[in-house]
Amino acid sequence: MPEGHSVHRLARQFQDVFGGQRLEVTSPQGRFSAGAALLTGHTMVDAMAHGKQFFLSFDHGLFLHVHLGLYGAWSFGGDESFTGASSIGAPRRIGERETGSAAPDGAYAGPPPPVGAVRVRLVSDHGWADLRGATTCAAITAAETEAVLARLGPDPLHNRPGDRDEFIRRLRRRKTAVALLLMDQSVLAGVGNIYRAEVLFRQAVDPWTPGNSIDAETAGRLWDDTVATMADGVRDGRIVTTPPSLWTVGGAIAPDADAHFVYKRHGLPCRACGTLVGITEIGARKLYWCPGCQV
């Protein structure tokens, strides 16, 4: 499932290429035909992400709400003014790297025929975007949008005043293992399996520590490191949590094999202490950790 940095990058891309433009909205697959009819012909005002939830607001007060889930992805194309990633979402390489560039080959002649089960297609004068495989795709009101946001915890990529303290409060009031709490979207919005594993390692926190056993200082460090690593992900378009000193190949880009401390490195020596990185399941998701460092 795309983590929060990918969804924030998606919101940036939509704002760049569709902001202030009148959109034709259709559902080639047919499953979103009623919702598309409510949105088509209206101007997209704003694109917003909170955690893994994505919203497009339109000038008549309705919103397009999308949650990509495990299989959702947007693909894009258009003329020379329509730039950015050509695909964000599944299928993804490790670290959720985006694919390609939206730069066209030759003159833009409008969107191509839909390929596969396109839930929704957005078309402007300069380009198009297709959504496939999303868990949620709905046309909703402003009140319904607020109801979705009210169920979520603070988003580290917003990092608004009070968010840090609110995260600390939500984390420390629960007896649940911190590894589960970091992926509970009502506690912290946007973190997935990669950031969860990497931040817990970087802060040397035992994944099974109950939230109510974590002191406020440690909880604050978890928030601060999540803010920093996710901001790097927004900037770079992929998740890299290791410093360049650990990269085996020189250069400005980390090889995939060197990008993480513990994620998908089970059975390999810890980069810090040499203990073999462990793997188990918690909450039906794989957890990677170092039994030597995270005690």
Side-chain angles (χ1 to χ4, degrees):
M1 184 180 299
E3 303 204 24
H5 76 289
S6 291
V7 184
H8 276 261
R9 285 178 63 88
L10 183 66
R12 284 188 182 185
Q13 177 147 329
F14 268 87
Q15 192 65 42
D16 288 345
V17 300
F18 286 136
Q21 297 187 44
R22 179 182 175 276
L23 301 183
E24 177 188 352
V25 184
T26 60
S27 179
Q29 178 195 54
R31 288 181 58 186
F32 186 63
S33 294
L38 295 174
L39 301 176
T40 194
H42 291 278
T43 298
M44 197 209 91
V45 176
D46 191 30
M48 180 189 72
H50 190 101
K52 301 175 184 180
Q53 309 291 331
F54 174 67
F55 304 90
L56 299 179
S57 67
F58 288 81
D59 60 352
H60 62 327
L62 292 183
F63 293 74
L64 175 63
H65 173 212
V66 172
H67 186 286
L68 290 175
L70 288 173
Y71 306 109
W74 286 95
S75 54
F76 303 87
D79 63 20
E80 66 279 356
S81 71
F82 200 91
T83 59
S86 66
S87 179
I88 299 179
R92 296 172 298 279
R93 297 178 63 188
I94 186 170
E96 301 182 17
R97 192 200 312 270
E98 297 153 21
T99 59
S101 167
D105 296 325
Y108 175 61
V115 176
V118 176
R119 183 84 55 85
V120 61
R121 167 170 280 191
L122 308 178
V123 180
S124 71
D125 291 338
H126 299 281
W128 54 272
D130 284 350
L131 174 67
R132 300 175 181 83
T135 297
T136 300
C137 177
I140 62 176
T141 65
E144 290 169 324
T145 299
E146 289 301 317
V148 173
L149 294 172
R151 296 194 293 268
L152 301 173
D155 183 334
L157 288 170
H158 291 309
N159 198 19
R160 298 179 176 121
D163 280 354
R164 187 179 191 270
D165 290 341
E166 181 61 19
F167 164 72
I168 293 171
R169 186 187 70 82
R170 294 186 185 210
L171 184 80
R172 299 186 68 226
R173 71 182 179 183
R174 302 270 295 275
K175 297 180 180 180
T176 307
V178 64
L180 291 173
L181 292 174
L182 291 187
M183 288 180 58
D184 183 334
Q185 300 301 296
S186 70
V187 174
L188 182 64
V191 166
N193 213 14
I194 305 176
Y195 283 120
R196 183 259 300 272
E198 294 296 297
V199 169
L200 286 174
F201 172 83
R202 284 162 56 110
Q203 297 306 315
V205 174
D206 182 339
W208 287 272
T209 306
N212 63 357
S213 296
I214 292 179
D215 59 65
E217 180 183 356
T218 300
R221 287 193 287 106
L222 289 173
W223 172 266
D224 295 340
D225 202 29
T226 303
V227 169
T229 54
M230 292 188 75
D232 289 344
V234 172
R235 181 195 64 209
D236 300 334
R238 60 188 294 232
I239 302 176
V240 177
T241 57
T242 53
S245 60
L246 293 179
W247 302 348
T248 55
V249 178
I253 299 176
D256 287 342
D258 299 336
H260 307 124
F261 283 103
V262 292
Y263 180 74
K264 288 195 172 180
R265 296 195 68 249
H266 49 289
L268 297 175
C270 171
R271 301 187 193 276
C273 75
T275 303
L276 297 185
V277 173
I279 182 174
T280 188
E281 284 199 2
I282 184 169
R285 297 293 300 275
K286 288 184 173 62
L287 170 68
Y288 305 88
W289 89 108
C290 173
C293 293
Q294 295 173 257
V295 293

